[in-house]
mmCIF file of all heavy atoms in Angstrom:
data_model
loop_
_atom_site.group_PDB
_atom_site.id
_atom_site.type_symbol
_atom_site.label_atom_id
_atom_site.label_comp_id
_atom_site.label_asym_id
_atom_site.label_seq_id
_atom_site.Cartn_x
_atom_site.Cartn_y
_atom_site.Cartn_z
ATOM 1 N N ARG A 345 4.770 -12.061 1.221
ATOM 2 C CA ARG A 345 5.813 -12.375 2.214
ATOM 3 C C ARG A 345 6.761 -13.395 1.639
ATOM 4 O O ARG A 345 6.360 -14.196 0.741
ATOM 5 C CB ARG A 345 5.102 -12.878 3.479
ATOM 6 C CG ARG A 345 5.470 -14.330 3.760
ATOM 7 C CD ARG A 345 4.879 -14.880 4.959
ATOM 8 N NE ARG A 345 3.765 -15.774 4.669
ATOM 9 C CZ ARG A 345 3.016 -16.319 5.575
ATOM 10 N NH1 ARG A 345 3.252 -16.125 6.811
ATOM 11 N NH2 ARG A 345 2.006 -17.111 5.230
ATOM 12 N N VAL A 346 7.975 -13.354 2.103
ATOM 13 C CA VAL A 346 8.922 -14.423 1.720
ATOM 14 C C VAL A 346 9.224 -15.243 2.997
ATOM 15 O O VAL A 346 8.489 -16.121 3.342
ATOM 16 C CB VAL A 346 10.157 -13.840 1.022
ATOM 17 C CG1 VAL A 346 11.070 -14.999 0.557
ATOM 18 C CG2 VAL A 346 9.730 -12.996 -0.173
ATOM 19 N N ASN A 347 10.243 -14.770 3.781
ATOM 20 C CA ASN A 347 10.567 -15.497 5.009
ATOM 21 C C ASN A 347 10.301 -14.668 6.259
ATOM 22 O O ASN A 347 10.488 -15.149 7.399
ATOM 23 C CB ASN A 347 11.994 -15.905 5.035
ATOM 24 C CG ASN A 347 12.319 -17.020 4.036
ATOM 25 O OD1 ASN A 347 11.486 -17.840 3.783
ATOM 26 N ND2 ASN A 347 13.507 -16.930 3.435
ATOM 27 N N GLU A 348 9.899 -13.406 6.116
ATOM 28 C CA GLU A 348 9.964 -12.491 7.292
ATOM 29 C C GLU A 348 8.896 -12.734 8.292
ATOM 30 O O GLU A 348 9.000 -12.200 9.425
ATOM 31 C CB GLU A 348 9.945 -11.015 6.751
ATOM 32 C CG GLU A 348 8.735 -10.573 5.988
ATOM 33 C CD GLU A 348 8.827 -11.000 4.495
ATOM 34 O OE1 GLU A 348 9.741 -11.653 4.080
ATOM 35 O OE2 GLU A 348 7.857 -10.642 3.778
ATOM 36 N N ILE A 349 7.836 -13.497 7.936
ATOM 37 C CA ILE A 349 6.895 -13.965 8.966
ATOM 38 C C ILE A 349 6.798 -15.471 8.847
ATOM 39 O O ILE A 349 6.396 -15.989 7.754
ATOM 40 C CB ILE A 349 5.470 -13.365 8.793
ATOM 41 C CG1 ILE A 349 5.557 -11.812 8.819
ATOM 42 C CG2 ILE A 349 4.564 -13.850 9.903
ATOM 43 C CD1 ILE A 349 4.195 -11.167 8.659
ATOM 44 N N ALA A 350 7.198 -16.175 9.908
ATOM 45 C CA ALA A 350 7.081 -17.644 9.859
ATOM 46 C C ALA A 350 5.610 -18.068 9.749
ATOM 47 O O ALA A 350 4.717 -17.385 10.348
ATOM 48 C CB ALA A 350 7.672 -18.221 11.158
ATOM 49 N N THR A 351 5.371 -19.063 8.955
ATOM 50 C CA THR A 351 3.921 -19.462 8.746
ATOM 51 C C THR A 351 3.213 -19.855 10.032
ATOM 52 O O THR A 351 2.006 -19.818 10.138
ATOM 53 C CB THR A 351 3.811 -20.573 7.718
ATOM 54 O OG1 THR A 351 4.654 -21.675 8.127
ATOM 55 C CG2 THR A 351 4.217 -20.130 6.346
ATOM 56 N N GLU A 352 3.992 -20.250 11.075
ATOM 57 C CA GLU A 352 3.391 -20.580 12.376
ATOM 58 C C GLU A 352 2.617 -19.402 12.973
ATOM 59 O O GLU A 352 1.722 -19.604 13.782
ATOM 60 C CB GLU A 352 4.443 -21.095 13.356
ATOM 61 C CG GLU A 352 5.453 -20.010 13.777
ATOM 62 C CD GLU A 352 6.578 -20.536 14.684
ATOM 63 O OE1 GLU A 352 6.698 -21.774 14.750
ATOM 64 O OE2 GLU A 352 7.256 -19.718 15.323
ATOM 65 N N VAL A 353 2.970 -18.187 12.577
ATOM 66 C CA VAL A 353 2.319 -16.991 13.145
ATOM 67 C C VAL A 353 0.920 -16.822 12.483
ATOM 68 O O VAL A 353 0.047 -16.157 13.061
ATOM 69 C CB VAL A 353 3.178 -15.713 12.890
ATOM 70 C CG1 VAL A 353 2.517 -14.435 13.362
ATOM 71 C CG2 VAL A 353 4.544 -15.900 13.563
ATOM 72 N N ASP A 354 0.684 -17.409 11.354
ATOM 73 C CA ASP A 354 -0.578 -17.194 10.626
ATOM 74 C C ASP A 354 -1.818 -17.485 11.459
ATOM 75 O O ASP A 354 -2.866 -16.916 11.289
ATOM 76 C CB ASP A 354 -0.639 -18.000 9.329
ATOM 77 C CG ASP A 354 0.409 -17.587 8.306
ATOM 78 O OD1 ASP A 354 1.178 -16.628 8.586
ATOM 79 O OD2 ASP A 354 0.525 -18.236 7.261
ATOM 80 N N SER A 355 -1.674 -18.507 12.343
ATOM 81 C CA SER A 355 -2.848 -18.905 13.145
ATOM 82 C C SER A 355 -3.033 -18.069 14.416
ATOM 83 O O SER A 355 -4.007 -18.243 15.144
ATOM 84 C CB SER A 355 -2.746 -20.400 13.477
ATOM 85 O OG SER A 355 -1.549 -20.649 14.139
ATOM 86 N N ASP A 356 -2.121 -17.163 14.673
ATOM 87 C CA ASP A 356 -2.245 -16.250 15.807
ATOM 88 C C ASP A 356 -3.358 -15.230 15.479
ATOM 89 O O ASP A 356 -3.349 -14.648 14.384
ATOM 90 C CB ASP A 356 -0.918 -15.544 16.030
ATOM 91 C CG ASP A 356 -0.861 -14.753 17.354
ATOM 92 O OD1 ASP A 356 -1.754 -13.917 17.532
ATOM 93 O OD2 ASP A 356 0.068 -14.948 18.116
ATOM 94 N N LYS A 357 -4.296 -14.979 16.367
ATOM 95 C CA LYS A 357 -5.423 -14.088 16.070
ATOM 96 C C LYS A 357 -4.954 -12.674 15.782
ATOM 97 O O LYS A 357 -5.700 -11.863 15.186
ATOM 98 C CB LYS A 357 -6.463 -14.144 17.164
ATOM 99 C CG LYS A 357 -6.022 -13.513 18.484
ATOM 100 C CD LYS A 357 -7.157 -13.463 19.465
ATOM 101 C CE LYS A 357 -6.790 -12.983 20.857
ATOM 102 N NZ LYS A 357 -5.964 -11.781 20.958
ATOM 103 N N ARG A 358 -3.749 -12.348 16.215
ATOM 104 C CA ARG A 358 -3.196 -10.984 15.960
ATOM 105 C C ARG A 358 -2.658 -10.845 14.546
ATOM 106 O O ARG A 358 -2.356 -9.730 14.141
ATOM 107 C CB ARG A 358 -2.138 -10.671 17.008
ATOM 108 C CG ARG A 358 -2.688 -10.620 18.421
ATOM 109 C CD ARG A 358 -1.562 -10.593 19.447
ATOM 110 N NE ARG A 358 -0.857 -11.873 19.521
ATOM 111 C CZ ARG A 358 0.122 -12.170 20.362
ATOM 112 N NH1 ARG A 358 0.510 -11.209 21.289
ATOM 113 N NH2 ARG A 358 0.740 -13.322 20.368
ATOM 114 N N ALA A 359 -2.491 -11.922 13.815
ATOM 115 C CA ALA A 359 -1.961 -11.878 12.460
ATOM 116 C C ALA A 359 -3.114 -11.638 11.521
ATOM 117 O O ALA A 359 -3.963 -12.512 11.279
ATOM 118 C CB ALA A 359 -1.275 -13.195 12.125
#
Side-chain angles (χ1 to χ4, degrees):
R345 114 179 103 183
V346 185
N347 290 325
E348 60 280 3
I349 302 180
T351 52
E352 66 184 16
V353 178
D354 295 356
S355 54
D356 190 306
K357 69 175 174 46
R358 296 168 291 183

